[in-house]
Amino acid sequence: MDTGRAAKSARTVVISGVPDGILKDDVMSDILVIHFQKSKNNGGDVEDIIYPTMEKGVAYLTFEDQEVAESVLKKNEHRLEDKRLSRYYPLKVTPYSKNVFSSVTSVLNMSVFKDQYVLEDLIQEIKKKNTALSFGPLQSSGHISVQGSFPAIELLRDFLLLKAKSLSEDKNEESKSHQRPKKQQQQCRLTTDTNNFVHDAEGEKQVVVLDTDTYLYMKNFLPKKLLANTDVAISDVTDGDITTLYLQKVRSRPDAGQVLAIKEEIEHQSLKLHNTLCKERICLDGYVRDEKQKYKLVCETLKSHYPSVLVIPYATHIDVIGNSLEVFEFTREVNKEVQSLFQHR
């Protein structure tokens, strides 16, 4: 089963930019199939197409041969043209990727550095070191938005913490009463502590910053002892895409370094999951209450067939998290089941 799904995933591409609302859905599906069957578009035989999907203007198309999917992806430009369309529409074709956690957004407060650096120059330095990230404009307040994969943002966080630490050490030489710009640094959304670990009178503490979706998956599917260790107390604070864990010893004399060991294991498992998990969002905007309930009911019914898939229902959408193969099949079945219910109501 997994081998078959893996092969299908490799033969599937994601098509974005499909003109929405111009023609009937079945007609648009036919136009897309015709386009991707043509040799001039590097195409070939199409096995299946899913359109419409939960994402506006997006279709999933599966070819019979993986080589055709790879060839289609190599074409620089896809222009959707047909006599039933008033003009051509550029399409974006991307592989069905395993790594979909790629849109974590954080807002950084860089004003902590303004007394020591020209912020514009510092931002340029950061951009050169973090080419995988996208940056918004620097605001007059010192705030700047950054978007990219969670590991890339973690690297940026570490870089900024080193910068902040150097400022703290410089200020410490001037006055012991100003050891670090802690309050300002806490405004950085990536973390609520300038140190990865500190020591206090009661024992060792650790801080771990995680992608929220990855953390939720860990809570549901990893061994409970990892996040519910009897010797280590773990509390969490979630701020949108980011969840911060605080780890501290709860027994008087546990093994030295036990909290650090738990922290490192959580980070290790988080990185493994980030590289294998995929998330699809089933949008419920535009549906009435009964229709939304149908989606949630279908998801609950199908969950038993996909024991490794995490389904998180919200008021406006449903998030589906798991490996790409199962998530692809799960969301596809949900879509078909719900559309069938709508047609027979």
Side-chain angles (χ1 to χ4, degrees):
M1 178 68 73
D2 285 344
T3 303
R5 286 178 178 170
K8 187 166 187 177
S9 178
R11 292 184 283 113
T12 300
V13 297
V14 182
I15 307 165
S16 306
V18 180
D20 183 70
I22 296 177
L23 300 172
K24 292 183 178 180
D25 293 338
D26 58 342
V27 175
M28 185 57 69
S29 294
D30 290 340
I31 293 175
L32 288 169
V33 169
I34 291 171
H35 172 89
F36 286 100
Q37 283 180 332
K38 292 180 178 179
S39 58
K40 72 174 185 178
N41 296 320
N42 294 0
D45 293 335
V46 173
E47 177 183 302
D48 191 23
I49 184 171
I50 302 177
Y51 182 82
T53 63
M54 303 306 169
E55 297 179 79
K56 185 176 179 180
V58 173
Y60 294 104
L61 191 141
T62 303
F63 293 97
E64 291 187 1
D65 297 315
Q66 181 177 338
E67 291 78 7
V68 176
E70 294 171 353
S71 179
V72 163
L73 290 167
K74 292 177 181 178
K75 184 174 173 60
N76 292 329
E77 182 183 27
H78 283 275
R79 295 162 53 120
L80 188 64
E81 298 178 282
D82 189 274
K83 62 182 180 180
R84 289 164 286 186
L85 298 173
S86 59
R87 62 179 180 86
Y88 80 85
Y89 291 85
L91 300 176
K92 181 180 180 181
V93 184
T94 55
Y96 188 82
S97 174
K98 292 183 179 180
N99 303 319
V100 185
F101 289 152
S102 59
S103 58
V104 175
T105 301
S106 292
V107 178
L108 307 179
N109 182 1
M110 303 296 292
S111 61
V112 65
F113 300 106
K114 66 181 181 181
D115 293 335
Q116 299 292 328
Y117 298 97
V118 176
L119 291 187
E120 289 79 5
D121 293 342
L122 179 57
I123 295 299
Q124 289 302 316
E125 179 186 355
I126 291 173
K127 287 181 179 180
K128 290 179 180 179
K129 292 180 178 292
N130 299 270
T131 56
L133 295 174
S134 298
F135 294 83
L138 178 64
Q139 305 297 322
S140 57
S141 61
H143 289 79
I144 186 170
S145 63
V146 57
Q147 184 179 46
S149 71
F150 190 77
I153 288 182
E154 279 195 303
L155 290 174
L156 172 59
R157 179 203 64 180
D158 293 341
F159 172 78
L160 291 176
L161 289 177
L162 287 175
K163 287 283 188 183
K165 184 180 179 181
S166 66
L167 290 181
S168 173
E169 292 172 348
D170 290 342
K171 289 189 176 183
N172 187 45
E173 293 177 359
E174 298 174 7
S175 172
K176 291 183 179 180
S177 63
H178 297 87
Q179 292 184 3
R180 67 188 61 178
K182 187 172 182 180
K183 290 185 179 180
Q184 287 182 302
Q185 181 64 16
Q186 283 181 334
Q187 295 176 29
C188 173
R189 185 169 171 236
L190 292 177
T191 180
T192 54
D193 199 316
T194 56
N195 287 327
N196 282 335
F197 67 92
V198 297
H199 295 269
D200 63 11
E202 295 180 315
E204 186 181 14
K205 288 184 179 180
Q206 296 286 343
V207 176
V208 186
V209 184
L210 301 173
D211 171 86
T212 296
D213 290 321
T214 303
Y215 173 62
L216 292 175
Y217 194 89
M218 291 173 68
K219 284 184 65 176
N220 282 271
F221 293 105
L222 289 189
K224 298 297 182 183
K225 64 180 181 180
L226 180 62
L227 295 175
N229 191 288
T230 56
D231 293 331
V232 178
I234 302 178
S235 59
D236 60 83
V237 177
T238 296
D239 181 12
D241 293 329
I242 304 296
T243 293
T244 305
L245 303 186
Y246 299 90
L247 292 69
Q248 185 174 7
K249 292 188 293 188
V250 296
R251 293 189 175 184
S252 58
R253 288 183 295 178
D255 295 337
Q258 186 173 17
V259 180
L260 178 60
I262 295 293
K263 169 186 179 287
E264 291 176 345
E265 179 61 20
I266 290 174
E267 291 179 330
H268 173 68
Q269 293 296 335
S270 171
L271 185 59
K272 284 177 60 178
L273 289 174
H274 182 89
N275 291 331
T276 58
L277 290 180
C278 163
K279 180 173 76 173
E280 289 284 355
R281 175 161 292 180
I282 301 175
C283 295
L284 302 179
D285 291 337
Y287 291 104
V288 299
R289 182 177 179 180
D290 289 345
E291 292 172 333
K292 292 179 179 180
Q293 198 59 39
K294 282 187 174 66
Y295 269 106
K296 294 177 181 179
L297 182 61
V298 169
C299 285
E300 284 296 320
T301 303
L302 290 175
K303 272 175 61 176
S304 61
H305 301 291
Y306 297 87
S308 297
V309 168
L310 177 63
V311 179
I312 311 175
Y314 297 95
T316 58
H317 62 275
I318 301 171
D319 282 343
V320 183
I321 303 171
N323 73 67
S324 64
L325 312 176
E326 291 194 340
V327 166
F328 177 78
E329 292 290 336
F330 182 90
T331 53
R332 174 189 168 131
E333 288 192 38
V334 168
N335 186 47
K336 286 187 175 181
E337 288 285 339
V338 173
Q339 293 303 320
S340 177
L341 289 174
F342 286 171
Q343 290 172 2
H344 292 87
R345 61 183 177 179

